[in-house]
Structure formats: C-alpha cells, structure tokens
Amino acid sequence: MRRTRRRLEPLRRAGASRVEALRAGALRALGRRPGSRRRALTAALAAAALGWPVLPGATAARGAGGPCSCGDLCCPVPGGHPHDPPLIAATTDPRMVRWWWERRCPGAPVLMATGRTVCAVSVPAVAGARLLAWFDGTGVPLGPVLATPSRYLLLVAPYTLDELGELLAERAWVPGALRYHGPGGYLPLPPSRTGAGGVHWVRPPREDGVWLPQVEALLGGLIAVTTTAPDGSRLPF
C-alpha cells in the first residue's frame, strides 16, 4: 500500500500543477482586450475554467428585424440577454462552449449565469469610480469589477435571495439604484459588445486566484456612495 501511494503521489502533484496552470491561463485570458471572434471563445473558455457557467447571448442587430437578434422590435437590452440557448443551458463544459462559439454563434456576447458560483451587485456608472475609491480608502477588499456603459458590477460570492432579503431588511433604507445579480440572473463578460456598448474589466481577476467578497461586507459602502453625489446631494435615481 505504501509503495502504491508513493507511486501515485507524483501523479497527483502533476495533476494539481496542471489544474493550477489551466486556472492561471484562464485568469490571463479573461483580461485580454476585445476585438475578434476568437477572443469571445477564449473569454468563454476562460470563464468556464474558473467554474463560471456561460452561454452565448443574443446579438445586437441592424435592419427591419429589430435592434436585436431575438426578433423583438422593442427589445429593451439589444444584444445583452439570453435567447437561444436559454439561460438554464449555461455550462462550464469546454466542449459545449467550443461548439457554441466555434460553430453555432461565433462572436456572440459571452454571458455568465449568476447564482451558482458567482453573484454580483451593481451601481450606476456615474457612481462607480467614487465607489471604488471609497472602498480603497476604507481598506475594504474588492474582487473583480466589470463596467458596462451604464453600470459598474462588483463580483461577489454566491448568495441566496433569502440571505439577500435578510441583509436588506436590516437596513433602514436601501437606494433603488442598487441592482442584485443573484440566482436566475446573468451578466455580460468582456469582450462582449451589446447594443448599449462594450463591456470591460475595471479590475480584472487576479492571476494568483479569484477571490470573491461577501455581499454583506460591501453593502454599507454601496449604500453610502450610491445615495449621494460628491456635493452631498442625492443621486437622481
């Protein structure tokens, strides 16, 4: 038995090293700049390697068919939502990811399903830079941060709707400008480009690992910064 364990130990170490190498490569890939169909596939595979379930989203379109490939003439979020496949199909299987972005819909926006392994909370873009400065000034650590033309999205550890409800119920007031991307939700990942514009990392995942804060640790700062403008007046949301 001891000889067998000694023989297997190098294989285990090699397997662990390979997993770490794949994880590091995924983190580097997530930070790459947008621009090609290949980058969409690379970003989708990188997210899947980190355990983030992904799927291709509808694409922004032009012409009589409407502003979005979903065919809805009044689509409120052109090129920024699940359509076909539906959100429930989100996966971390690299074979499925490759088939989607290589054969079915090359260059499609990369959407990440929230709730299983990652969630998010977002604020209006106008408050985003001040929010990051507030957290930096108070020493509260943040995880990866995304930006769309209208929102800053802070990735956080998974939470349930019940847990979130209890946290919010403890607060005297919570600004309506805050949005929560939890179970049953989704968000776009770079290099996606929706009808509203591009998506980019403000703070990309670190190469030494993806750490996600608990939403409870960020809620006070989110409320404080999203409530008021720099001059002390209330934000018009």
Side-chain angles (χ1 to χ4, degrees):
M1 179 65 76
R2 290 181 179 176
R3 290 181 180 178
T4 302
R5 287 179 178 174
R6 282 198 293 269
R7 290 173 183 171
L8 289 176
E9 191 58 33
L11 295 176
R12 288 173 180 157
R13 286 198 298 268
S17 298
R18 178 170 174 76
V19 169
E20 287 304 315
L22 289 172
R23 186 180 180 84
L27 289 165
R28 288 193 295 271
L30 278 172
R32 288 177 185 168
R33 304 176 81 180
S36 71
R37 291 184 174 187
R38 185 67 187 178
R39 287 193 178 118
L41 170 62
T42 299
L45 287 171
L50 297 175
W52 298 350
V54 295
L55 77 161
T59 57
R62 295 180 181 179
C68 181
S69 63
C70 70
D72 184 352
L73 296 177
C74 300
C75 180
V77 282
H81 65 89
H83 174 54
D84 183 19
L87 181 61
I88 195 173
T91 183
T92 58
D93 185 342
R95 297 167 299 177
M96 193 74 240
V97 171
R98 283 190 176 278
W99 186 83
W100 275 335
W101 273 276
E102 286 182 341
R103 303 181 62 181
R104 182 173 180 178
C105 42
V110 180
L111 302 184
M112 177 175 70
T114 55
R116 302 186 214 170
T117 56
V118 59
C119 288
V121 60
S122 69
V123 300
V126 67
R130 289 195 303 115
L131 180 66
L132 300 190
W134 190 93
F135 281 122
D136 288 344
T138 55
V140 176
L142 295 176
V145 180
L146 283 165
T148 70
S150 60
R151 311 286 298 181
Y152 267 48
L153 300 106
L154 284 65
L155 302 193
V156 298
Y159 54 74
T160 67
L161 296 180
D162 288 341
E163 290 170 343
L164 179 64
E166 290 178 3
L167 288 175
L168 298 180
E170 295 173 355
R171 304 284 172 169
W173 182 77
V174 178
L178 287 178
R179 293 181 187 170
Y180 311 95
H181 311 263
Y186 63 90
L187 51 88
L189 293 177
S192 302
R193 187 169 187 84
T194 70
V199 181
H200 67 275
W201 290 109
V202 178
R203 297 193 178 178
R206 294 167 49 180
E207 292 195 14
D208 59 352
V210 176
W211 174 82
L212 299 172
Q214 299 292 324
V215 67
E216 181 178 8
L218 307 184
L219 199 54
L222 288 164
I223 293 174
V225 175
T226 310
T227 302
T228 58
D231 61 0
S233 61
R234 284 188 178 274
L235 289 173
F237 301 115

